[in-house]
């Protein structure tokens, strides 16, 4: 029911993982499915040429969710010995 569930969380291996590249639009498109505790999610990420991104998450029991952001390279922090 709405308002009773926690946030989206899936700690599992994804399935139907596919990465494609749209040369004309200069976009990387990533699609996959993942199972959560009580739901299955379909995730679509579109990463644009300058790093902007759009993520759409569709589930069986929730409304469609959309997120926009920027994809950046993770920088490994050095630890002091």
């Amino acid at each position: 029911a709405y308002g009773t569930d926690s946030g989206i969380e899936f700690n599992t291996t994804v399935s139907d993982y596919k990465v494609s590249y749209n040369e004309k639009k200069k976009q990387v498109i990533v699609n996959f499915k993942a199972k959560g505790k009580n739901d299955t999610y379909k995730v679509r990420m579109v990463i644009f040429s300058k790093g902007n991104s759009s993520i759409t998450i569709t589930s069986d029991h929730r409304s469609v969710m959309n997120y926009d952001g920027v994809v950046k390279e993770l920088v490994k922090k050095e630890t002091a010995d």
Side-chain angles (χ1 to χ4, degrees):
Y2 181 77
T4 61
D5 293 330
S6 62
I8 295 175
E9 183 176 328
F10 39 84
N11 294 318
T12 184
T13 303
V14 299
S15 62
D16 297 337
Y17 181 80
K18 181 180 176 186
V19 177
S20 58
Y21 182 69
N22 183 321
E23 180 69 39
K24 184 176 180 180
K25 294 183 177 182
K26 305 288 188 213
Q27 299 173 345
V28 175
I29 301 156
V30 180
N31 291 291
F32 64 89
K33 291 181 185 175
K35 288 190 176 189
K37 184 176 179 182
N38 298 312
D39 213 341
T40 300
Y41 303 99
K42 293 178 186 174
V43 180
R44 177 179 178 86
M45 295 187 286
V46 180
I47 304 166
F48 303 95
S49 63
K50 305 254 186 213
N52 292 331
S53 64
S54 174
I55 300 173
T56 302
I57 302 173
T58 307
S59 98
D60 296 330
H61 303 292
R62 297 179 187 232
S63 298
V64 173
M65 295 161 271
N66 294 295
Y67 301 93
D68 295 315
V70 178
V71 175
K72 294 183 180 181
E73 179 181 1
L74 290 175
V75 178
K76 186 175 180 178
K77 293 182 181 180
E78 295 186 30
T79 57
D81 292 328

